[in-house]
Amino acid sequence: MNNNKAYVTTPIYYVNDVPHIGHAYTTIIADTMARYYRLQGKETFFLTGTDEHGQKIEEAAKSRGRSPQEYADEISGKFRELWDYFDISYDKFIRTTDADHKLGVQKAFEKMFEKGDIYKGEYEGYYCVSCETFFTETQLMDGEGCPDCGKPTKLVKEESYFFRLSNYQEKLLKWYNEDERCVLPKGKKNEVISFVKQGLRDLSITRTSFDWGIKLPASLNDEKHVMYVWLDALLNYITALGYGKEEENMHFWPATMQLVGKDILRFHAIYWPAFLMSLDLPLPKHVGAHGWWTRNGEKMSKSKGNVVNPKEVADAYGLENFRYFMLREVPFGQDGDFSQKALIDRINSDLGNEFGNLLNRIIGMSGKYSDFKITSQDVKALHVKELNEVEAILNEVETKLNELQTNRYLEDLWKVLAIANGAITAHEPWTKIKNGDTKGALALVGLVANILARVSILVSPIMPQTAKKIANAMQFEITTQSYEKYILNKELLEDFVIEKIPPLFPKIEEELMETPEPTLKQEEPKEKKKETPTKEESIITIDQFFQTSLKIGTILEATEVANSDRLLQLKVDLGESEPRQIIAGIKEYYAPQELINTQVCVVANLKPAKIMGLLSQGMLLAAKDKDGLALMRPEKPKTSGSSVG
RNA sequence: GGCGGCGUAGCUCAGUGGCUAGAGCAACUGAUUCAUAAUCAGUGAGUCAUGGGUUCGAGUCCCAUCGCCGCCA
């Protein structure tokens, strides 16, 4: 294998559904790996695309009165749009309806046939007419019922071509055995092994019951058959490189990293390598299977209405924040839970406090101590200890990413940031300045700058734009050269003038998306409700009530908050020396103009919060129901600042 | 039903058979001001699911039981 090349793939996504968070997750991991390989200077090819053949697509198109191709075009376009929006750095977007792909698949079929791995036989199965699906005898209910709909099935025989999967059982086991990390994570690999050990049956790879698929090669002269989806789909990984035609990119094969969801691991860890062996091609270096996302602990499903729309999350919370969250939150291979609270915690704590704020700290210090000039001059002399600690972690960190342990990778980078935050406290540069030790203070700032630079480089595969902003502010670029210089060779930054930039990760103080109605839990015994008052109506004392300071305020100014669908920025007179700035989520219900010079009821002693980077010193009271929102206002005009109670 | 995994601090999880069982988050207390009310330090009476067993010694190995999950049937 050529170590200077890398090939990363996502599955090609089936166009019977619009993109959801699972697709986004796979693709973001793949994008991260591709960006990481490029950072290392490897010649990288990153493939994604759509899977467009099969009976389901044929039907879905028909039900919409469209041709399968038109329908596939539309959904495929949606995937491509989402990936563009998500800053996915794919090199090729393959579609199984591409002419080159079809040709490559036919070539591969021909080769497998000539080799004797494909033979014509008869497929026998229990067919459910209404579900249009085949089942094996053991899957049936009571010996004949369809496991999906319960209706009787009938035994159908259909001519079919088969792939001699059974021939590859031992060779596959040998592969799993010899290549420790061919399938990741390990637990999933064990499942694959036990499946193969149970014995592999030959695989039916063609159908005569529908048309929307790739025809057999002309040499076989068998018009009735189209290829069954998995053969067609899996071969995309090599047809995308020109297999069977120009072969212009076949030098990227074997794939470095093939990412899949855990549901389709079997196809990628068993069928796919078997096909490759049949084609005399080397096997992928790694096939990685990731887990599912749940939402607030529950499985996502359309019927529950709790499906996370990835674009909506990225819109509300920021694309790179979301990318960071997904990769940081879950150990690779395990299921992860999406909740706005977890996402907000990650953004505010990891990103805002520990990372973004660190940059602000050295901007502030260098501004005060040295007119924003930062030098690495005395860093080595005064901070060997910290540099060694940082390097000890960074020397190990990349193995985590190579094993797709993105959570561990990020965790370690954050340990490096903690060294920087800790060093500031330990060395108190402000005290050094007071004591005239400018050199010491500047060395500390230089140390932190170097740490930030290194982390920015290594975090760039996950958050490319953010990393770029930091690099720009610090007058360097994120490139393979800087990776080699600062990470591999451990060089220090040239002296530079840091640019004062606004906070990278503004605090998020409230959930920015609609939360789906919680599903009714039936297991909750009804008697309990009698005993316990509902949460909203639990009893409080008058003292507790008066802990809340409610006041009448007069709105002096109201403007829209840029980039927000919900927020208005208000200046409210509460009878104090200065009007308060309040950020209120009422834009959908009130125009700024109609609010000016009206009175509202304000919670005056609420802890101030930053919302989208803007200070909010209070909260407006409003009532909300299904028809919308109504502000609470005094019945007659009252002096600004009058207390309510 | 078969195979495999898991059950450790309020939450998420680490813990090659061996000194008083750890980390992160949350909480509390203190320090500090360069910074986005941030950062740093300190603070846990944990039946290591339960019951047996092996061992000088078990969260760690073995058996059984209960509970959860995955793959397969």
Side-chain angles (χ1 to χ4, degrees):
Chain A
M1 185 188 70
N2 186 335
N3 234 359
N4 276 321
K5 286 189 181 139
Y7 181 29
V8 183
T9 68
T10 75
I12 44 174
Y13 302 114
Y14 203 43
V15 294
N16 66 338
D17 193 11
V18 294
H20 55 68
I21 189 173
H23 300 121
Y25 184 46
T26 323
T27 309
I28 286 167
I29 299 172
D31 184 58
T32 295
M33 295 312 294
R35 287 177 184 272
Y36 172 62
Y37 295 138
R38 290 194 199 102
L39 184 66
Q40 291 180 308
K42 292 181 176 166
E43 191 190 352
T44 300
F45 196 85
F46 173 19
L47 175 73
T48 188
T50 44
D51 181 6
E52 308 182 4
H53 288 131
Q55 195 170 12
K56 277 189 189 161
I57 304 304
E58 201 173 40
E59 285 160 15
K62 199 189 286 175
S63 73
R64 289 171 175 77
R66 330 246 319 248
S67 73
Q69 188 66 59
E70 282 170 348
Y71 175 71
D73 286 349
E74 184 198 325
I75 308 286
S76 179
K78 285 189 180 169
F79 276 94
R80 199 188 294 235
E81 271 168 35
L82 188 69
W83 303 151
D84 290 339
Y85 178 80
F86 265 54
D87 208 7
I88 301 301
S89 61
Y90 58 85
D91 295 294
K92 183 177 167 91
F93 188 102
I94 192 172
R95 304 181 53 185
T96 52
T97 49
D98 289 344
D100 287 355
H101 170 74
K102 293 182 193 170
L103 204 73
V105 170
Q106 289 172 333
K107 278 271 165 60
F109 192 101
E110 220 161 22
K111 171 146 191 186
M112 291 154 94
F113 186 81
E114 281 162 14
K115 199 172 174 184
D117 279 337
I118 289 177
Y119 62 92
K120 195 172 183 174
E122 212 167 46
Y123 182 82
E124 188 179 276
Y126 291 83
Y127 188 70
C128 172
V129 180
S130 69
C131 299
E132 299 191 54
T133 312
F134 281 94
F135 299 98
T136 62
E137 190 170 356
T138 49
Q139 287 175 304
L140 300 181
M141 297 187 1
D142 303 324
E144 65 158 10
C146 167
D148 287 347
C149 68
K151 291 177 191 163
T153 56
K154 58 182 179 186
L155 186 62
V156 172
K157 285 184 183 177
E158 187 184 317
E159 191 180 277
S160 174
Y161 286 82
F162 286 84
F163 174 76
R164 284 190 206 280
L165 188 62
S166 54
N167 267 3
Y168 289 92
Q169 182 167 336
E170 293 312 314
K171 288 173 193 157
L172 284 166
L173 288 171
K174 191 165 171 250
W175 181 50
Y176 306 138
N177 190 33
E178 285 175 358
D179 191 343
E180 179 65 27
R181 292 184 214 152
C182 59
V183 179
L184 297 169
K186 210 177 169 194
K188 292 285 152 199
K189 183 183 171 188
N190 290 339
E191 285 177 9
V192 169
I193 292 171
S194 71
F195 182 87
V196 174
K197 278 187 175 162
Q198 283 174 39
L200 294 174
R201 273 185 296 190
D202 289 349
L203 212 59
S204 165
I205 52 167
T206 70
R207 285 284 182 279
T208 54
S209 53
F210 63 95
D211 280 333
W212 183 238
I214 300 179
K215 301 282 181 216
L216 300 201
S219 59
L220 273 94
N221 195 21
D222 204 340
E223 286 282 306
K224 283 186 301 198
H225 292 262
V226 297
M227 287 185 218
Y228 196 41
V229 283
W230 278 106
L231 181 69
D232 168 4
L234 288 165
L235 286 166
N236 93 87
Y237 300 125
I238 53 174
T239 62
L241 301 179
Y243 180 85
K245 212 183 167 219
E246 304 294 320
E247 310 250 322
E248 68 280 4
N249 281 319
M250 275 304 282
H251 59 274
F252 282 107
W253 192 259
T256 318
M257 189 63 79
Q258 301 207 263
L259 285 149
V260 298
K262 64 182 182 182
D263 56 325
I264 54 172
L265 178 62
R266 195 201 301 175
F267 303 101
H268 286 81
I270 300 173
Y271 303 169
W272 174 229
F275 293 161
L276 286 166
M277 287 190 250
S278 179
L279 293 170
D280 299 315
L281 287 171
L283 306 187
K285 306 314 287 178
H286 306 287
V287 176
H290 65 71
W292 295 139
W293 283 91
T294 55
R295 180 165 195 177
N296 300 320
E298 289 193 358
K299 203 173 169 183
M300 283 185 220
S301 71
K302 280 184 193 161
S303 58
K304 278 185 189 161
N306 66 346
V307 174
V308 175
N309 176 337
K311 183 167 187 299
E312 199 182 302
V313 181
D315 276 339
Y317 289 96
L319 169 61
E320 301 207 341
N321 293 347
F322 184 39
R323 286 173 61 117
Y324 172 81
F325 171 79
M326 286 201 281
L327 299 187
R328 173 64 185 78
E329 189 71 5
V330 198
F332 184 74
Q334 296 196 8
D335 290 352
D337 186 54
F338 177 89
S339 72
Q340 296 197 65
K341 183 183 178 305
L343 176 58
I344 291 170
D345 282 354
R346 288 279 173 218
I347 295 170
N348 288 349
S349 176
D350 295 8
L351 296 178
N353 296 348
E354 290 176 55
F355 189 24
N357 187 45
L358 188 58
L359 179 66
N360 279 22
R361 299 180 84 177
I362 58 165
I363 290 174
M365 284 189 270
S366 65
K368 288 188 180 170
Y369 307 156
S370 58
D371 203 16
F372 299 104
K373 281 183 214 138
I374 293 185
T375 173
S376 301
Q377 199 182 321
D378 298 309
V379 172
K380 268 193 178 141
L382 297 176
H383 295 290
V384 217
K385 182 173 153 275
E386 287 89 347
L387 282 178
N388 286 342
E389 285 171 12
V390 167
E391 280 158 18
I393 295 173
L394 294 187
N395 286 341
E396 299 297 320
V397 76
E398 295 183 58
T399 59
K400 315 254 164 100
L401 193 56
N402 284 321
E403 291 176 22
L404 297 170
Q405 303 271 11
T406 54
N407 64 321
R408 293 281 180 87
Y409 178 76
L410 290 167
E411 228 176 285
D412 280 0
L413 292 185
W414 258 251
K415 282 183 193 158
V416 172
L417 294 175
I419 292 171
N421 275 315
I424 298 176
T425 309
H427 293 278
E428 299 191 8
W430 47 92
T431 309
K432 289 190 195 305
I433 287 291
K434 258 186 229 158
N435 298 338
D437 180 10
T438 313
K439 186 172 151 181
L442 293 187
L444 186 277
V445 174
L447 169 72
V448 174
N450 276 283
I451 289 177
L452 266 173
R454 292 179 186 186
V455 170
S456 304
I457 291 169
L458 290 174
V459 92
S460 68
I462 290 113
M463 299 193 285
Q465 301 307 328
T466 304
K468 196 175 171 187
K469 278 186 206 165
I470 297 173
N472 284 346
M474 293 179 42
Q475 317 296 336
F476 74 100
E477 281 182 59
I478 292 182
T479 58
T480 300
Q481 288 69 38
S482 56
Y483 168 79
E484 287 170 349
K485 203 167 160 189
Y486 302 123
I487 303 296
L488 297 183
N489 298 335
K490 304 173 172 54
E491 289 177 36
L492 297 180
L493 292 165
E494 316 284 320
D495 294 357
F496 65 97
V497 174
I498 196 165
E499 187 191 340
K500 199 173 176 198
I501 59 170
L504 293 168
F505 308 103
K507 279 283 164 63
I508 295 168
E509 300 290 350
E510 57 162 351
E511 298 197 346
L512 300 178
M513 284 161 50
E514 295 282 321
T515 305
E517 293 292 316
T519 45
L520 295 174
K521 282 188 181 155
Q522 293 183 331
E523 59 266 38
E524 209 137 4
K526 281 183 182 169
E527 294 104 50
K528 264 198 171 171
K529 280 188 181 164
K530 285 180 203 159
E531 295 165 16
T532 335
T534 56
K535 271 181 196 162
E536 290 82 359
E537 287 168 355
S538 60
I539 305 297
I540 62 168
T541 64
I542 186 96
D543 292 339
Q544 285 173 316
F545 173 75
F546 279 116
Q547 284 174 9
T548 310
S549 165
L550 299 176
K551 288 185 178 172
I552 296 301
T554 306
I555 298 177
L556 303 177
E557 292 174 28
T559 52
E560 300 190 346
V561 173
N563 298 326
S564 168
D565 295 331
R566 300 176 55 195
L567 300 177
L568 291 182
Q569 179 176 359
L570 309 172
K571 288 273 191 296
V572 183
D573 179 9
L574 287 184
E576 297 164 332
S577 57
E578 291 280 337
R580 299 253 196 133
Q581 172 166 295
I582 295 179
I583 308 301
I586 56 172
K587 186 170 164 183
E588 296 160 74
Y589 309 100
Y590 292 92
Q593 293 312 321
E594 61 177 318
L595 289 169
I596 293 171
N597 287 324
T598 64
Q599 292 199 309
V600 287
C601 184
V602 176
V603 181
N605 62 341
L606 194 67
K607 182 175 165 181
K610 283 240 170 138
I611 300 171
M612 289 191 73
L614 299 166
L615 186 66
S616 182
Q617 305 161 297
M619 183 179 100
L620 304 191
L621 293 189
K624 191 175 183 185
D625 65 11
K626 62 180 188 326
D627 297 325
L629 190 108
L631 287 166
M632 308 308 291
R633 302 177 183 282
E635 185 220 353
K636 299 174 195 164
K638 287 278 143 193
T639 315
S640 295
S642 307
S643 71
V644 177

